[in-house]
């Protein structure tokens, strides 16, 4: 049976677009896209692809807990096998994260465990890093701290600004995230004993590294 996927967004949804474009229909189906902002452009991308959308505005709930409970009720009515955070800019409560333990993925714009939190590109530049990148991980209670699945390094080049670096990191995100989604949807990727496992074997401590993603998509399906 196809993996039922729900994607949560807050903004542009360029990662959502990559997920839509690269989902292997033999294994999965995006059954719903949820945004906490009514003006998120990603909602239009979903609608264009014929995917059902819903808006849950966090501002109308009295607390973070109340919002997350409402989301859980809404999401569970779609029986999701996999929840994908794609630029969903809300901190989730432990109750939410634990409810979806092992079926909740996030993408973060850094080579975790470096640069958790915000402004990752500028912080990597300020630190004089030679490389930066993006990471897909399972979500746990620790912010940006769950078991790593896969990451793509992106070289920092002379003259890079936060904006130029962010643009290149996003290009790699658009390859990385569909890969992780398809691994999960096809049953190859699972969280076992709090470790991300691919084909039953734990990936390394920083996850699988996909090199040269900007220029080379070969190997995506058989890494
Ligand atoms: C992505 O670059 C993603 O890495 C980042 O938000 C952006 C969303 O872009 N996520 C975080 O910073 C989460 N901490 P998109 O809406 O175009 O996919």
């Amino acid at each position: 049976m196809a993996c039922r996927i729900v994607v949560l967004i807050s903004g542009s949804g360029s990662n959502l677009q990559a997920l839509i474009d690269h989902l292997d229909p033999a294994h999965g189906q995006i059954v719903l896209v949820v945004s906490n902002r009514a003006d998120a452009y990603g909602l239009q991308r979903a609608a264009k692809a014929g995917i059902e959308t819903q808006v849950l505005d966090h501002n109308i709930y009295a607390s973070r807990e109340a919002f997350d409970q409402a989301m859980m009720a809404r999401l569970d009515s779609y029986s999701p096998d996999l929840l994908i955070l794609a630029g969903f800019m809300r901190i989730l409560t432990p109750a939410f994260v634990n409810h979806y333990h092992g079926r909740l993925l996030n993408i973060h714009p850094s080579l975790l465990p470096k640069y958790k939190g915000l402004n990752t590109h500028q912080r990597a530049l300020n630190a004089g890093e030679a490389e930066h990148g993006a990471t897909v991980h399972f979500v746990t209670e620790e912010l940006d701290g769950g078991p790593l699945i896969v990451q793509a390094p992106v070289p920092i080049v002379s003259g890079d600004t936060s904006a130029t670096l962010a643009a290149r990191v996003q290009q790699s995100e658009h390859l990385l995230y569909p890969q992780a989604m398809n691994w999960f949807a096809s049953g190859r990727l699972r969280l076992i004993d709090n470790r991300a496992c691919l084909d039953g074997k734990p990936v390394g401590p920083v996850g699988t590294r996909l090199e040269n993603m900007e220029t080379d998509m070969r190997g995506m399906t058989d890494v």
Side-chain angles (χ1 to χ4, degrees), residues 11-16 86-87 89 106-109 117 144 170 173-174:
S12 154
S14 69
N15 276 284
L16 166 66
M89 302 309 270
N106 184 41
I107 192 156
H108 183 76
D144 299 328
Q170 271 222 332
E173 290 183 3
H174 298 161

Side-chain angles (χ1 to χ4, degrees), residues 57-69:
D57 181 356
H58 58 274
N59 291 307
I60 65 170
Y61 294 90
S63 66
R64 196 175 287 282
E65 285 72 20
F67 173 64
D68 279 11
Q69 290 297 332

Side-chain angles (χ1 to χ4, degrees), residues 114-115 121-132 156 165:
K114 286 183 171 179
Y115 307 115
H121 310 299
Q122 191 59 54
R123 286 158 62 207
L125 286 171
N126 292 349
E129 298 280 4
E131 65 174 16
H132 186 45
I156 293 181
L165 185 55

Side-chain angles (χ1 to χ4, degrees), residues 41-57:
Y41 180 62
L43 290 169
Q44 292 180 44
R45 297 181 192 269
K48 200 167 168 203
I51 299 168
E52 189 175 342
T53 62
Q54 298 216 9
V55 175
L56 259 105
D57 181 356

Side-chain angles (χ1 to χ4, degrees), residues 181-212:
M181 169 184 66
N182 283 325
W183 277 339
F184 191 97
S186 63
R188 294 182 61 191
L189 172 67
R190 286 295 179 264
L191 184 65
I192 302 170
D193 295 335
N194 226 32
R195 295 282 301 274
C197 293
L198 193 59
D199 300 327
K201 294 189 209 81
V203 300
V206 294
T208 301
R209 258 173 89 103
L210 296 189
E211 305 282 351
N212 305 320

